[in-house]
Amino acid sequence: VEPSAERHEVSFVATAAETKTQLDDKSVIWEADDAIRLKFTKSEAVLTEEFTVSDGAGTKNATFKGSVPNTLTTDGGYSDNAYAVYPSSAMDPATGTVTFTLDAVQQVAPGSFPSGKNLTSALISLDALNAGEVENALMQNAFAIMRFTLPEHVASLKITGTAGLAGAAALDFDEYGRLAVSSWTSESASVTLTPAEGETFSTGETYNILIYPGTHSKLSVELTHDDGCKLSKTLETEFVFEAKTIY
């Protein structure tokens, strides 16, 4: 911690992941109140800083601006590898560790996701950041995406696998800056979805749900009708869900 260190303003342009939190028709856009936290490392020390949207809200490429200590340089011993995480709340400001929770019971957002739920990350060069040369920090999805439509009168949808689909986990960065689960705090092999508005899902509406990547030996889907009747089907075959991929 360097509370008295002089600081300077820096910014970078972040390109939204293929599917972020808000969809405008088929384009992925940043929201005005979005924030990204960056992690910088030096020997055993960690420094994190939060960056907020200064320009480009409502577009796929937004400028995020923040301030950093003047001592934050590679010449000063910091690694050139800086890690960006959205939403910023997923990263602990003091330690730089990343934890996240996908609820086992969720309300869906038609055509999109609830704000702040699509965990993404990027690897950024510290030297390029200080030089103002980060123009295309591509945010990478940590989760896989299920996309579906439903018939009328469906009040809830439950998906059950044989590995974690939802839950709370700690995540680490791979060599490309993508986040992957390193350990579970709580793990749920099922996820239940309810409509965001009304008592049933809208017929013909496209819905998306975020799930943890993983391999399953079988998958069950259960629909609950608004009169309480249930319809279910189970397929016993291998299902592999990969990060960033839409199924």
Side-chain angles (χ1 to χ4, degrees):
V1 179
E2 301 172 279
S4 62
E6 293 185 0
R7 302 174 70 87
H8 64 280
E9 191 174 81
V10 295
S11 63
F12 64 94
V13 177
T15 300
E18 183 179 0
T19 309
K20 202 185 72 66
T21 56
Q22 296 296 313
L23 302 181
D24 178 13
D25 292 328
K26 293 185 179 179
S27 299
V28 184
I29 62 173
W30 290 104
E31 298 176 83
D33 59 352
D34 278 338
I36 292 174
R37 184 167 290 276
L38 265 65
K39 175 183 178 179
F40 308 94
T41 57
K42 175 184 179 181
S43 299
E44 299 301 318
V46 172
L47 172 69
T48 74
E49 298 288 353
E50 186 174 76
F51 291 70
T52 55
V53 174
S54 64
D55 185 50
T59 69
K60 183 172 182 174
N61 300 295
T63 300
F64 285 76
K65 186 175 291 185
S67 68
V68 298
N70 290 349
T71 53
L72 182 62
T73 63
T74 53
D75 287 343
Y78 282 93
S79 169
D80 188 47
N81 290 334
Y83 297 94
V85 171
Y86 169 88
S88 63
S89 58
M91 181 183 289
D92 185 286
T95 65
T97 55
V98 178
T99 57
F100 202 78
T101 299
L102 279 180
D103 296 327
V105 179
Q106 305 176 19
Q107 280 190 331
V108 296
S112 185
F113 306 112
S115 292
K117 287 299 183 182
N118 192 23
L119 180 65
T120 60
S121 60
L123 181 62
I124 294 177
S125 163
L126 173 57
D127 285 339
L129 179 67
N130 278 327
E133 297 174 346
V134 181
E135 299 293 335
N136 58 348
L138 178 61
M139 305 300 289
Q140 305 177 86
N141 291 82
F143 300 132
I145 301 153
M146 282 188 180
R147 178 168 291 172
F148 58 92
T149 59
L150 292 168
E152 59 184 349
H153 301 301
V154 176
S156 69
L157 165 69
K158 183 178 182 179
I159 302 169
T160 303
T162 56
L165 290 172
L171 301 99
D172 286 337
F173 300 96
D174 67 14
E175 59 182 314
Y176 304 106
R178 188 186 300 279
L179 287 164
V181 172
S182 58
S183 62
W184 292 94
T185 303
S186 62
E187 184 178 6
S188 174
S190 68
V191 58
T192 300
L193 307 174
T194 58
E197 297 179 355
E199 296 182 355
T200 60
F201 291 93
S202 298
T203 306
E205 180 71 70
T206 298
Y207 295 99
N208 296 290
I209 173 178
L210 297 164
I211 59 171
Y212 283 99
T215 300
H216 303 255
S217 59
K218 65 179 178 179
L219 202 67
S220 299
V221 177
E222 180 182 88
L223 306 182
T224 300
H225 194 271
D226 57 8
D227 66 3
C229 292
K230 296 181 185 293
L231 172 68
S232 64
K233 182 172 184 176
T234 299
L235 292 178
E236 295 196 23
T237 187
E238 185 178 74
F239 293 88
V240 180
F241 299 117
E242 297 181 355
K244 77 178 174 56
T245 306
I246 297 173
Y247 298 90

